[in-house]
Amino acid sequence: EENGKKLKKQLRFKEDDEELMEEKDEKEEVEEDQMMDVLTFEEMGLDDRLLMAIIQLKWLLPTPIQEAAIPMLMEGRDILAKARTGSGKTGAYAIPLVNKILGAKKYTARKQVTSALIVTPSRELCAQAYKNVLELIRFCQREITVMDLSTTQLNVKSQKQMLATRPDIIIATPTKILEHLRDDQPQQMPYAIDLKSTLELLV
């Protein structure tokens, strides 16, 4: 009788293990199917230099917000997106932004202008966006320049002198960008930001 109970117990454990294995296999199959359905970075028509940076960052597949936003932004559409922290929102706007600037410089000869402005509510978020953009332009730093106006390491005068080079991308808090846009000193006008005639991308 005791041996019979032990045998039943072993059989029950075996059945439970088999059910768990089947559930695991089904879950893996679903995950594989989902991965096959995801639009890859390679399929988005991105510049090769940008793809190289993405590979070096080890971003294997776009996150849901990136998969949804990047194709629309590549088409030039305006979007409003919402996603949780850590979902890849910065990459969702920075990738098409960098790609658009690279494309414009590749096919048209034009003077150096500031064409993109990224505004975030805090210095910390500016620093994060600046870091992410630098990582994405790793293989095209000669073609694209970026400046973080929110940093406290440079005073306003030094920032104005750097702005005279017309960086492609400016990152700033609302307060800091207004500080430069509201420059009423005529002698400083050569260093003022001219966004009305050049700005193409606003985040």
Side-chain angles (χ1 to χ4, degrees):
E1 188 178 338
E2 287 180 4
N3 288 337
K5 289 180 179 179
K6 287 180 180 179
L7 183 60
K8 286 182 180 179
K9 193 174 182 180
Q10 289 173 353
L11 288 171
R12 189 171 69 252
F13 283 146
K14 185 178 179 182
E15 288 175 358
D16 291 343
D17 288 342
E18 288 176 351
E19 286 179 6
L20 286 171
M21 289 298 293
E22 287 177 4
E23 288 178 5
K24 184 180 178 183
D25 290 341
E26 288 176 2
K27 185 178 179 182
E28 287 177 352
E29 286 178 7
V30 170
E31 288 177 351
E32 286 178 5
D33 290 340
Q34 289 175 343
M35 287 178 68
M36 289 178 67
D37 292 337
V38 172
L39 183 69
T40 66
F41 288 116
E42 288 80 5
E43 294 171 330
M44 292 180 178
L46 301 174
D47 188 283
D48 288 342
R49 291 162 292 181
L50 190 50
L51 284 173
M52 287 169 60
I54 290 171
I55 290 170
Q56 197 159 73
L57 287 168
K58 297 181 180 178
W59 295 355
L60 302 180
L61 286 172
T63 63
I65 186 67
Q66 291 170 353
E67 186 185 11
I70 291 175
M72 289 194 289
L73 291 169
M74 295 273 285
E75 293 173 2
R77 295 170 63 182
D78 295 333
I79 72 166
L80 175 64
K82 180 180 179 181
R84 61 179 174 78
T85 301
S87 60
K89 292 190 295 294
T90 305
Y93 68 73
I95 288 173
L97 184 149
V98 169
N99 193 76
K100 183 174 178 64
I101 295 174
L102 284 173
K105 293 197 171 193
K106 184 177 180 180
Y107 297 110
T108 59
R110 63 179 187 179
K111 64 179 182 178
Q112 180 63 32
V113 296
T114 297
S115 58
L117 173 63
I118 299 172
V119 183
T120 79
S122 69
R123 286 200 303 267
E124 292 75 17
L125 288 173
C126 281
Q128 177 186 317
Y130 180 66
K131 177 178 177 290
N132 289 152
V133 172
L134 285 182
E135 290 172 338
L136 290 171
I137 65 170
R138 183 173 300 170
F139 298 103
C140 51
Q141 291 186 10
R142 291 185 178 181
E143 288 81 8
I144 296 182
T145 53
V146 56
M147 182 177 178
D148 179 8
L149 284 180
S150 72
T151 179
T152 57
Q153 296 177 354
L154 297 173
N155 58 33
V156 175
K157 184 178 179 181
S158 298
Q159 288 182 342
K160 287 181 183 298
Q161 291 172 344
M162 292 183 67
L163 286 170
T165 64
R166 304 289 186 258
D168 295 285
I169 305 168
I170 292 177
I171 301 171
T173 59
T175 302
K176 183 57 71 171
I177 193 69
L178 284 173
E179 186 176 350
H180 287 279
L181 288 172
R182 288 175 176 168
D183 185 3
D184 297 325
Q185 302 176 35
Q187 67 272 23
Q188 295 293 336
M189 285 310 291
Y191 303 125
I193 303 174
D194 177 23
L195 297 180
K196 288 183 179 180
S197 59
T198 66
L199 192 67
E200 298 176 7
L201 306 159
L202 174 64
V203 180

